[in-house]
Amino acid sequence: MVLTGEHFLKEGLITPEQLADAMSKQRDLDGKESIARILVQLGYVSERDRVKCQGRVWGVPFADVSEIIPRPEALSLMNSANARKFKALPMERQGNRLLVAMVNPLDIFAIDEIRLTTGLDVEPLIAVESDLINSLVQFYRNESEALAGVIKDFDDGQDFDIQKKIEEVEEEADADDAPIIRLANLIINQAIIDKASDIHIEPLKDGMRVRYRIDGVMIEGMQFPKKLAAPLTSRFKIISNMDIAEKRAPQDNRISMTISGRDYDFRVSTLPMIFGEKIVMRVLDKGGINVGLSKLGFLEHNLMMLEDMCSKTYGIILVTGPTGSGKSTTLYSILNELNTGDNNIITIEDPVEYELSGINQCGVNVRAGMTFAAGLRAMLRQDPDIIMVGEMRDGETATIAMEAALTGHLVLSTLHTNDAPAAPTRLMDMGVEPFLISSSVIGILAQRLCRVTCANCKQPYEVRKEDILRYGFELPYGVANDGKDVVTLYRGVGCDKCKKTGYKGRTGIHELMVVTDELRDMIMKEAAAHDLRHKAIEVGMKPLQADALSKVLLGITTLDEVVRVIYA
């Protein structure tokens, strides 16, 4: 039975207006995408809700594999090869029955194969694919045991000559069993399990360590002996198509991998250090960018204003913030929402991080003369409706983009400033004329990313109001005048799910400045950033600090976290 929009309506997960919007987008895509997938892409329902509804339609129970730990006796009944092949995780044995969480519980061939190999009747459960893949990697690969096995094999002399004969090892039929290759795979798999954004492989005086950036914070990973450093570096250079003989100069490249059925890109960079070469890999999950604007942490006030801006047919929307503040994700989410099939969207990026279906994307290539400015000029001859410029790095690019906005194009771009009101001043410093800025920019979004309090170990606690005020926050009227000296906030105490950090996942903190007529006049007069800020707050802008405090009072994040992020 096919999952339709009516099923989501009956469950109360969407409104009739949202269903109509999704059906309109489905028609624009000529019916190539299911209504359920489109509802997820638009952010109206979560992937978990979609899977639950699908299970109810098929009459298959839902298994939350991110919360339920499989029984060891059940895991031992299926080997890792079959588990990955069928995307199936054995959860529990009940007499002659084996409960198995599956991505596709209607796959009768997989069910028959599991029944034959285990000798048990299989009762399929439906699970979210990303959660199930993470669980497969986690439960069929124990990090400490695997690392110990790699070091033991290395000590036993297996493939010890990788530094000299690594090309031969690559060609061997059992290359994946080579210790160094298993260690490299282990490092990458652990990053995928932990949802790390970056992998750091760092040479030390007497060894080598791996650290992961998880939710914006560096977390210690595994450590191993110095003798593994050179072969491991060579392994990563080979899969990145780098020169393994060059150890004195930095190198960078990009690789693509499919891990447990999911596509990932890795931007790999090497840098010579005093004890060897450091490798950093940026992890790009190709399937994780289809995020609806409603899932980025916008409070209702800001979300409504941003959606209104995106409905304009011309003008510039700027997203500002430091490196790693989620600017690209926000831009991709806006593009995903604007990608209705009836407009021509072109992007120029350096580099193209995520491939978006139905959108024309090109990358910067300075050697070939394809700079942001040159690419932008060429794009304007391609009859675009919407243009995305990865970053405004110079006055020439910014000027061309603004002239494009004045000639009937909607332009999206990023800029490096600390807050929204500083963006016009920054553009003037780059040499852009004030009249171009005032007449083309329709809105500026400043943002940061802060960690979300772990839902599994969240606990309430009380804090004095004066302790909040001393950080420069202003309490909302209702909280400030309720007659109490304390406020109830929430924090995570630490558990296995959040690796004892008290945080799991990240959300955005936003400051959205709509450029009104009063602000346009001030920009024309080259007003200072602090004057623009005062006027923007007067006309309705909610500053970063106010947005952050709202999320603290709602229990989404903690006071310590927003102080770290905003005042760092």
Side-chain angles (χ1 to χ4, degrees):
M1 188 175 177
V2 178
L3 182 60
T4 67
E6 297 298 326
H7 292 109
F8 294 101
L9 270 179
K10 287 178 184 176
E11 295 286 337
L13 295 170
I14 59 171
T15 64
E17 292 77 18
Q18 289 173 331
L19 178 57
D21 188 18
M23 290 175 72
S24 173
K25 183 163 185 178
Q26 188 185 41
R27 284 193 296 272
D28 292 333
L29 296 172
D30 298 325
K32 293 176 184 175
E33 195 75 83
S34 70
I35 198 74
R37 295 285 183 190
I38 290 172
L39 286 167
V40 173
Q41 288 173 13
L42 292 173
Y44 295 152
V45 296
S46 66
E47 178 66 8
R48 180 166 298 198
D49 287 335
R50 184 194 70 79
V51 172
K52 281 183 178 178
C53 277
Q54 186 69 79
R56 280 193 276 271
V57 168
W58 287 343
V60 178
F62 175 73
D64 189 351
V65 295
S66 67
E67 297 287 339
I68 304 168
I69 298 174
R71 297 290 178 88
E73 62 271 20
L75 287 171
S76 65
L77 293 169
M78 192 185 304
N79 62 40
S80 61
N82 279 343
R84 287 184 170 84
K85 177 183 174 183
F86 302 128
K87 290 186 182 176
L89 181 69
M91 303 297 292
E92 185 180 352
R93 179 176 179 172
Q94 295 179 348
N96 203 37
R97 291 188 309 148
L98 181 64
L99 275 58
V100 181
M102 303 178 71
V103 171
N104 181 9
L106 301 186
D107 186 345
I108 57 172
F109 299 106
I111 291 170
D112 282 348
E113 185 73 20
I114 296 168
R115 179 174 54 79
L116 288 169
T117 54
T118 62
L120 300 170
D121 292 331
V122 175
E123 183 175 322
L125 313 171
I126 192 167
V128 176
E129 183 173 8
S130 58
D131 291 343
L132 190 137
I133 288 170
N134 285 341
S135 295
L136 285 176
V137 179
Q138 181 177 355
F139 293 113
Y140 280 104
R141 168 76 75 178
N142 182 285
E143 179 186 323
S144 57
E145 289 179 10
L147 181 57
V150 167
I151 294 172
K152 180 181 182 299
D153 288 347
F154 200 86
D155 287 339
D156 289 345
Q158 292 186 26
D159 297 303
F160 186 75
D161 206 16
I162 287 177
Q163 189 66 13
K164 293 180 182 177
K165 292 191 170 184
I166 198 156
E167 292 87 353
E168 295 173 21
V169 174
E170 287 285 314
E171 294 170 3
E172 290 178 8
D174 60 347
D176 285 345
D177 291 328
I180 289 301
I181 294 174
R182 283 195 284 125
L183 177 57
N185 292 341
L186 175 62
I187 290 168
I188 291 172
N189 283 338
Q190 194 62 42
I192 302 302
I193 293 170
D194 294 337
K195 293 184 171 61
S197 62
D198 299 87
I199 306 168
H200 291 246
I201 302 164
E202 303 170 329
L204 306 174
K205 186 175 183 179
D206 53 356
M208 207 169 194
R209 70 174 177 180
V210 178
R211 293 195 295 166
Y212 299 101
R213 188 174 293 281
I214 301 170
D215 295 335
V217 177
M218 295 292 282
I219 302 292
E220 195 78 28
M222 58 192 88
Q223 292 203 17
F224 37 82
K226 187 74 174 176
K227 59 188 173 184
L228 294 178
L232 184 65
T233 302
S234 292
R235 169 62 185 166
F236 280 117
K237 282 185 171 182
I238 279 183
I239 61 176
S240 308
N241 290 318
M242 293 181 187
D243 181 358
I244 62 170
E246 179 56 78
K247 301 177 183 178
R248 296 171 299 174
Q251 299 182 64
D252 63 85
N253 213 332
R254 186 184 183 114
I255 54 175
S256 295
M257 288 185 181
T258 300
I259 300 170
S260 299
R262 198 177 178 104
D263 293 329
Y264 293 89
D265 274 355
F266 297 85
R267 290 217 313 260
V268 187
S269 167
T270 69
L271 183 66
M273 313 295 285
I274 57 172
F275 298 120
E277 290 178 275
K278 174 173 175 172
I279 300 172
V280 176
M281 292 190 282
R282 167 63 57 89
V283 184
L284 303 170
D285 178 1
K286 287 186 175 181
I289 197 62
N290 291 328
V291 184
L293 280 176
S294 59
K295 300 294 176 64
L296 297 181
F298 285 98
L299 295 180
E300 189 175 358
H301 170 72
N302 284 336
L303 182 60
M304 287 174 63
M305 288 198 299
L306 183 59
E307 287 178 337
D308 182 54
M309 277 183 207
C310 295
S311 67
K312 307 281 191 215
T313 55
Y314 63 91
I316 287 188
I317 300 172
L318 290 173
V319 183
T320 79
T323 302
S325 59
K327 299 188 295 294
S328 295
T329 301
T330 299
L331 283 183
Y332 280 125
S333 298
I334 293 172
L335 286 179
N336 204 43
E337 201 147 295
L338 295 172
N339 185 21
T340 56
D342 59 357
N343 48 33
N344 179 21
I345 304 175
I346 308 180
T347 76
I348 180 164
E349 307 165 59
D350 184 23
V352 175
E353 290 192 355
Y354 297 97
E355 296 167 12
L356 298 178
S357 176
I359 291 177
N360 307 288
Q361 297 171 269
C362 60
V364 167
N365 187 339
V366 177
R367 282 185 182 178
M370 180 68 163
T371 61
F372 272 117
L376 192 47
R377 280 199 188 93
M379 284 160 59
L380 292 172
R381 295 190 287 272
Q382 294 281 315
D383 184 32
D385 296 298
I386 299 163
I387 297 168
M388 195 267 268
V389 184
E391 185 183 337
M392 287 193 179
R393 292 181 179 171
D394 55 73
E396 185 184 9
T397 305
T399 300
I400 299 167
M402 290 180 186
E403 287 172 350
L406 292 177
T407 53
H409 304 91
L410 182 64
V411 182
L412 310 172
S413 190
T414 69
L415 195 66
H416 285 287
T417 63
N418 288 327
D419 57 17
T425 309
R426 171 79 183 108
L427 290 168
M428 289 178 212
D429 288 343
M430 290 164 64
V432 183
E433 295 292 342
F435 77 89
L436 267 181
I437 302 168
S438 65
S439 51
S440 61
V441 179
I442 56 176
I444 303 162
L445 173 70
Q447 67 178 53
R448 301 287 188 279
L449 287 177
C450 70
R451 292 180 292 174
V452 174
T453 308
C454 175
N456 191 58
C457 61
K458 183 192 289 189
Q459 289 186 2
Y461 73 104
E462 290 186 339
V463 61
R464 294 181 305 169
K465 288 181 180 176
E466 61 189 66
D467 289 336
I468 298 176
L469 296 173
R470 72 186 176 90
Y471 285 117
F473 293 108
E474 291 185 16
L475 288 167
Y477 180 82
V479 177
N481 296 282
D482 60 3
K484 298 177 183 176
D485 293 327
V486 295
V487 180
T488 300
L489 303 179
Y490 294 85
R491 62 186 170 198
V493 294
C495 64
D496 291 336
K497 286 196 173 296
C498 61
K499 293 184 174 289
K500 308 296 181 186
T501 62
Y503 301 98
K504 191 164 179 64
R506 286 193 290 178
T507 191
I509 298 173
H510 306 98
E511 175 178 272
L512 183 57
M513 185 175 97
V514 179
V515 182
T516 62
D517 289 340
E518 297 141 287
L519 288 168
R520 290 186 201 286
D521 290 340
M522 293 178 71
I523 293 168
M524 279 287 289
K525 295 172 184 174
E526 301 186 32
H530 61 267
D531 292 328
L532 289 174
R533 166 170 284 278
H534 291 314
K535 177 54 70 176
I537 292 171
E538 270 182 41
V539 297
M541 183 184 82
K542 192 171 185 178
L544 273 173
Q545 289 84 349
D547 193 70
L549 185 60
S550 295
K551 290 181 170 72
V552 170
L553 296 172
L554 289 168
I556 295 169
T557 187
T558 66
L559 192 62
D560 290 342
E561 178 65 5
V562 298
V563 168
R564 180 187 73 84
V565 169
I566 292 178
Y567 296 104

